[in-house]
Coordinates of all heavy atoms in Angstrom, one line a residue:
A72 N 75.7 102.0 116.2 CA 76.6 102.0 115.0 C 76.1 102.8 113.8 O 74.9 102.8 113.6 CB 76.9 100.6 114.6
K73 N 77.0 103.3 113.0 CA 76.6 104.0 111.8 C 76.5 103.0 110.6 O 75.7 103.2 109.7 CB 77.7 105.1 111.5 CG 77.9 106.1 112.6 CD 76.6 106.9 112.9 CE 76.8 108.0 114.0 NZ 75.6 108.7 114.3
D74 N 77.4 102.0 110.6 CA 77.5 101.1 109.5 C 77.4 99.6 110.1 O 78.1 99.3 111.0 CB 78.7 101.3 108.7 CG 78.9 102.7 108.1 OD1 78.1 103.0 107.2 OD2 79.7 103.4 108.6
V75 N 76.6 98.8 109.4 CA 76.5 97.4 109.8 C 76.5 96.5 108.5 O 75.8 96.8 107.6 CB 75.3 97.1 110.6 CG1 75.3 95.7 111.2 CG2 75.1 98.1 111.7
I76 N 77.3 95.4 108.6 CA 77.2 94.4 107.5 C 77.0 93.0 108.0 O 77.4 92.8 109.2 CB 78.5 94.5 106.6 CG1 79.7 94.1 107.4 CG2 78.6 95.8 105.9 CD1 81.0 93.9 106.6
E77 N 76.4 92.2 107.3 CA 76.3 90.8 107.6 C 77.6 90.0 107.2 O 78.1 90.3 106.1 CB 75.1 90.1 107.0 CG 74.8 88.7 107.5 CD 73.5 88.1 107.0 OE1 72.6 88.9 106.5 OE2 73.3 86.9 107.2
V78 N 78.1 89.2 108.1 CA 79.4 88.6 107.8 C 79.3 87.0 108.1 O 78.4 86.6 108.7 CB 80.5 89.2 108.6 CG1 80.8 90.6 108.3 CG2 80.2 89.0 110.1
D79 N 80.3 86.3 107.6 CA 80.4 84.9 107.8 C 81.5 84.7 108.9 O 82.6 85.3 108.9 CB 80.9 84.2 106.6 CG 81.0 82.7 106.8 OD1 80.0 82.0 106.7 OD2 82.2 82.3 107.0
L80 N 81.2 83.9 109.9 CA 82.1 83.8 111.1 C 83.5 83.3 110.6 O 84.6 83.7 111.1 CB 81.6 82.8 112.1 CG 80.7 83.4 113.2 CD1 80.3 82.3 114.2 CD2 81.4 84.6 113.9
S81 N 83.5 82.3 109.6 CA 84.8 81.8 109.2 C 85.6 82.9 108.5 O 86.9 82.9 108.6 CB 84.6 80.6 108.2 OG 83.9 81.0 107.1
A82 N 85.0 83.8 107.8 CA 85.7 84.9 107.2 C 86.3 85.9 108.2 O 87.4 86.3 108.1 CB 84.8 85.6 106.2
V83 N 85.5 86.1 109.2 CA 85.9 87.0 110.3 C 87.1 86.4 111.0 O 88.2 87.0 111.3 CB 84.8 87.3 111.3 CG1 85.4 88.1 112.5 CG2 83.7 88.0 110.7
Q84 N 87.1 85.1 111.2 CA 88.2 84.4 111.8 C 89.4 84.5 111.0 O 90.6 84.7 111.5 CB 87.8 82.9 112.1 CG 89.0 82.1 112.6 CD 89.3 82.4 114.1 OE1 88.4 82.4 114.9 NE2 90.5 82.6 114.4
A85 N 89.3 84.3 109.6 CA 90.4 84.3 108.7 C 91.0 85.7 108.7 O 92.3 85.9 108.7 CB 89.9 83.9 107.3
F86 N 90.2 86.8 108.6 CA 90.8 88.1 108.5 C 91.2 88.7 109.8 O 92.3 89.3 109.8 CB 89.7 89.0 107.9 CG 89.5 89.0 106.4 CD1 88.4 88.4 105.9 CD2 90.5 89.5 105.6 CE1 88.2 88.4 104.5 CE2 90.3 89.5 104.2 CZ 89.2 88.9 103.7
L87 N 90.5 88.5 110.8 CA 90.7 89.2 112.1 C 91.3 88.3 113.2 O 91.8 88.8 114.2 CB 89.4 89.8 112.6 CG 88.9 91.0 111.7 CD1 87.5 91.4 112.2 CD2 89.9 92.2 111.8
G88 N 91.3 87.0 113.0 CA 92.0 86.1 113.9 C 91.2 85.6 115.1 O 91.7 84.7 115.8
R89 N 90.0 86.1 115.3 CA 89.2 85.6 116.4 C 87.8 86.0 116.2 O 87.5 86.9 115.5 CB 89.8 86.2 117.7 CG 89.7 87.7 117.8 CD 90.3 88.2 119.2 NE 90.4 89.6 119.2 CZ 89.4 90.4 119.6 NH1 88.2 89.9 120.0 NH2 89.5 91.7 119.6
V90 N 86.9 85.3 116.9 CA 85.5 85.6 116.9 C 84.9 85.6 118.3 O 83.7 85.4 118.5 CB 84.7 84.5 116.0 CG1 85.1 84.7 114.5 CG2 84.9 83.1 116.5
S91 N 85.8 85.7 119.3 CA 85.3 85.8 120.7 C 86.3 86.7 121.4 O 87.4 87.0 120.9 CB 85.2 84.4 121.3 OG 86.5 83.8 121.3
D92 N 86.0 87.1 122.6 CA 86.9 88.0 123.4 C 88.1 87.2 123.7 O 88.1 86.0 124.1 CB 86.2 88.4 124.7 CG 85.1 89.5 124.4 OD1 85.2 90.1 123.4 OD2 84.3 89.6 125.3
P93 N 89.3 87.8 123.6 CA 90.5 87.2 124.0 C 90.6 87.0 125.5 O 89.9 87.7 126.3 CB 91.6 88.2 123.5 CG 90.9 89.5 123.5 CD 89.5 89.2 123.1
E94 N 91.4 86.0 125.9 CA 91.5 85.7 127.4 C 92.4 86.8 128.0 O 93.3 87.3 127.3 CB 92.2 84.4 127.6 CG 91.3 83.2 127.2 CD 90.1 83.1 128.0 OE1 90.1 83.4 129.2 OE2 89.0 82.7 127.5
P95 N 92.1 87.2 129.2 CA 92.9 88.2 129.9 C 94.3 87.7 130.1 O 94.5 86.5 130.2 CB 92.2 88.4 131.3 CG 90.8 87.9 131.1 CD 90.9 86.9 130.0
S96 N 95.3 88.6 130.0 CA 96.7 88.2 130.2 C 97.4 89.1 131.1 O 97.0 90.3 131.2 CB 97.4 88.2 128.8 OG 97.4 89.4 128.2
G97 N 98.4 88.6 131.8 CA 99.2 89.5 132.7 C 98.6 89.5 134.1 O 97.5 89.1 134.3
E98 N 99.5 90.0 135.0 CA 99.1 90.0 136.4 C 97.8 90.8 136.7 O 97.0 90.6 137.6 CB 100.2 90.5 137.3 CG 101.4 89.5 137.2 CD 102.5 90.0 138.1 OE1 102.4 91.1 138.8 OE2 103.6 89.3 138.2
A99 N 97.7 91.9 135.9 CA 96.6 92.8 136.1 C 95.3 92.4 135.4 O 94.3 93.0 135.4 CB 96.9 94.2 135.6
N100 N 95.4 91.1 134.8 CA 94.2 90.6 134.1 C 93.8 91.5 132.9 O 92.6 91.6 132.7 CB 93.0 90.4 135.0 CG 92.6 88.9 135.1 OD1 93.5 88.0 134.7 ND2 91.5 88.6 135.6
N101 N 94.7 92.2 132.3 CA 94.4 93.1 131.2 C 94.2 92.3 129.9 O 94.8 91.3 129.7 CB 95.5 94.1 131.0 CG 95.6 95.1 132.2 OD1 94.6 95.5 132.7 ND2 96.9 95.4 132.5
V102 N 93.3 92.9 129.1 CA 93.0 92.3 127.8 C 93.4 93.3 126.7 O 93.0 94.5 126.8 CB 91.5 92.0 127.6 CG1 91.2 91.5 126.2 CG2 91.1 90.9 128.6
T103 N 94.3 92.8 125.8 CA 94.7 93.7 124.7 C 93.7 93.6 123.6 O 93.6 92.5 123.0 CB 96.1 93.3 124.3 OG1 97.0 93.5 125.4 CG2 96.6 94.3 123.1
I104 N 93.0 94.6 123.2 CA 92.1 94.6 122.1 C 92.7 95.2 120.9 O 93.1 96.4 120.9 CB 90.8 95.4 122.5 CG1 90.2 94.7 123.7 CG2 89.8 95.3 121.3 CD1 89.8 93.3 123.6
D105 N 92.8 94.5 119.8 CA 93.5 95.1 118.6 C 92.5 96.0 117.9 O 91.4 96.0 118.1 CB 94.1 94.0 117.7 CG 93.0 93.1 117.1 OD1 92.3 93.7 116.2 OD2 92.9 91.9 117.4
S106 N 93.1 96.6 116.8 CA 92.4 97.7 116.2 C 91.4 97.3 115.1 O 90.6 98.1 114.6 CB 93.4 98.7 115.6 OG 94.1 98.1 114.5
A107 N 91.6 96.0 114.6 CA 90.8 95.5 113.4 C 91.4 96.1 112.1 O 90.9 95.7 111.0 CB 89.3 95.8 113.5
L108 N 92.4 97.0 112.1 CA 93.0 97.4 110.9 C 93.9 96.2 110.4 O 94.7 95.6 111.1 CB 93.9 98.6 111.1 CG 94.4 99.3 109.9 CD1 93.3 100.1 109.3 CD2 95.6 100.2 110.3
R109 N 93.8 95.8 109.1 CA 94.5 94.7 108.6 C 95.1 95.1 107.2 O 94.5 95.8 106.4 CB 93.5 93.5 108.4 CG 93.0 92.9 109.7 CD 94.1 92.3 110.5 NE 93.7 91.6 111.7 CZ 93.5 92.1 112.9 NH1 93.8 93.4 113.0 NH2 93.1 91.4 113.9
A110 N 96.3 94.5 107.0 CA 96.9 94.6 105.7 C 96.6 93.3 105.0 O 96.7 92.2 105.5 CB 98.4 94.7 105.8
I111 N 96.1 93.4 103.7 CA 95.7 92.3 102.9 C 96.7 92.1 101.8 O 97.0 93.1 101.1 CB 94.3 92.5 102.3 CG1 93.3 92.8 103.5 CG2 93.9 91.2 101.6 CD1 93.2 91.7 104.5
M112 N 97.3 90.9 101.7 CA 98.3 90.7 100.7 C 97.8 89.6 99.7 O 97.1 88.6 100.1 CB 99.6 90.1 101.3 CG 100.6 89.5 100.3 SD 101.8 88.5 101.1 CE 102.8 89.8 101.9
F113 N 98.0 89.8 98.4 CA 97.8 88.8 97.4 C 99.1 88.4 96.8 O 99.9 89.3 96.4 CB 96.9 89.3 96.3 CG 95.4 89.3 96.6 CD1 94.8 90.3 97.3 CD2 94.6 88.2 96.2 CE1 93.5 90.3 97.6 CE2 93.3 88.1 96.5 CZ 92.7 89.2 97.2
T114 N 99.3 87.1 96.6 CA 100.4 86.6 95.7 C 99.8 86.0 94.5 O 98.7 85.4 94.6 CB 101.3 85.6 96.5 OG1 100.6 84.3 96.6 CG2 101.7 86.1 97.8
D115 N 100.5 86.0 93.4 CA 100.0 85.4 92.2 C 101.2 84.8 91.4 O 102.2 85.5 91.2 CB 99.3 86.5 91.3 CG 98.8 85.9 90.0 OD1 97.9 85.0 90.0 OD2 99.3 86.4 88.9
I116 N 101.0 83.5 91.0 CA 102.1 82.9 90.2 C 102.0 83.4 88.8 O 100.9 83.4 88.1 CB 101.8 81.3 90.2 CG1 101.9 80.8 91.6 CG2 102.9 80.7 89.3 CD1 101.6 79.3 91.7
V117 N 103.1 83.9 88.3 CA 103.2 84.5 86.9 C 103.1 83.3 85.9 O 103.9 82.3 86.0 CB 104.5 85.3 86.8 CG1 104.6 85.8 85.3 CG2 104.5 86.4 87.7
G118 N 102.3 83.4 84.9 CA 102.2 82.5 83.8 C 101.7 81.1 84.2 O 102.2 80.1 83.7
S119 N 100.8 81.0 85.1 CA 100.4 79.7 85.6 C 99.7 78.9 84.6 O 99.8 77.7 84.5 CB 99.4 79.9 86.8 OG 98.3 80.7 86.5
T120 N 98.9 79.6 83.7 CA 98.2 78.8 82.6 C 99.2 78.2 81.7 O 99.1 77.0 81.3 CB 97.3 79.8 81.8 OG1 96.3 80.3 82.7 CG2 96.5 79.0 80.8
S121 N 100.2 78.9 81.2 CA 101.2 78.4 80.3 C 102.0 77.3 81.0 O 102.5 76.4 80.4 CB 102.1 79.5 79.8 OG 102.8 80.2 80.8
M122 N 102.2 77.5 82.3 CA 103.0 76.5 83.1 C 102.2 75.1 83.1 O 102.8 74.1 82.9 CB 103.2 76.9 84.5 CG 104.0 76.0 85.4 SD 104.2 76.6 87.1 CE 102.5 76.5 87.7
T123 N 100.9 75.2 83.2 CA 100.1 74.0 83.2 C 100.2 73.3 81.8 O 100.3 72.1 81.7 CB 98.6 74.3 83.6 OG1 98.6 74.8 84.9 CG2 97.8 73.0 83.6
E124 N 100.1 74.1 80.8 CA 100.1 73.6 79.4 C 101.5 73.0 79.1 O 101.6 72.0 78.4 CB 99.8 74.7 78.4 CG 98.4 75.3 78.5 CD 98.2 76.5 77.6 OE1 99.2 77.0 77.1 OE2 97.1 76.9 77.4
R125 N 102.5 73.6 79.7 CA 103.9 73.1 79.4 C 104.3 71.9 80.2 O 104.9 70.9 79.7 CB 104.9 74.2 79.7 CG 106.3 73.9 79.4 CD 107.2 75.1 79.6 NE 107.4 75.4 81.0 CZ 106.8 76.5 81.6 NH1 106.0 77.2 80.9 NH2 107.0 76.7 82.9
L126 N 103.8 71.8 81.5 CA 104.3 70.8 82.4 C 103.2 69.7 82.6 O 103.6 68.6 83.0 CB 104.6 71.4 83.8 CG 105.7 72.5 83.8 CD1 105.9 73.0 85.2 CD2 107.0 71.9 83.3
G127 N 102.0 70.0 82.3 CA 100.9 69.0 82.6 C 100.4 69.3 84.0 O 101.0 70.0 84.8
D128 N 99.2 68.7 84.2 CA 98.5 68.9 85.5 C 99.3 68.5 86.7 O 99.4 69.3 87.7 CB 97.2 68.2 85.5 CG 96.2 68.9 84.5 OD1 96.4 70.0 84.2 OD2 95.2 68.2 84.1
A129 N 99.8 67.3 86.7 CA 100.5 66.8 87.9 C 101.7 67.6 88.3 O 101.9 68.0 89.4 CB 100.9 65.3 87.6
R130 N 102.6 67.9 87.3 CA 103.8 68.7 87.6 C 103.4 70.1 88.0 O 104.1 70.7 88.9 CB 104.7 68.7 86.4 CG 106.0 69.5 86.6 CD 106.9 68.9 87.7 NE 108.1 69.7 87.8 CZ 108.7 69.9 88.9 NH1 108.2 69.5 90.1 NH2 109.9 70.6 88.9
S131 N 102.4 70.7 87.4 CA 102.1 72.1 87.7 C 101.5 72.2 89.1 O 101.7 73.1 89.8 CB 101.1 72.6 86.7 OG 99.8 71.9 86.7
V132 N 100.8 71.1 89.5 CA 100.2 71.1 90.9 C 101.4 71.1 91.9 O 101.4 71.7 92.9 CB 99.3 69.9 91.1 CG1 99.0 69.7 92.6 CG2 98.0 70.1 90.4
E133 N 102.5 70.3 91.5 CA 103.6 70.3 92.4 C 104.2 71.7 92.5 O 104.7 72.1 93.6 CB 104.7 69.3 91.8 CG 104.3 67.9 91.9 CD 105.4 67.0 91.4 OE1 106.5 67.5 91.0 OE2 105.1 65.8 91.3

Side-chain angles (χ1 to χ4, degrees):
K73 303 298 183 183
D74 302 289
V75 189
I76 61 172
E77 187 171 346
V78 294
D79 180 83
L80 272 183
S81 61
V83 174
Q84 177 70 53
F86 278 110
L87 292 170
R89 61 182 175 86
V90 292
S91 60
D92 286 339
E94 292 296 325
S96 61
E98 295 182 0
N100 243 19
N101 291 325
V102 174
T103 300
I104 303 298
D105 69 69
S106 66
L108 192 76
R109 292 294 184 270
I111 307 300
M112 169 196 289
F113 278 87
T114 71
D115 178 62
I116 299 173
V117 176
S119 58
T120 301
S121 61
M122 181 178 71
T123 301
E124 294 174 349
R125 184 176 69 256
L126 301 178
D128 290 340
R130 179 62 176 144
S131 64
V132 167
E133 291 180 8

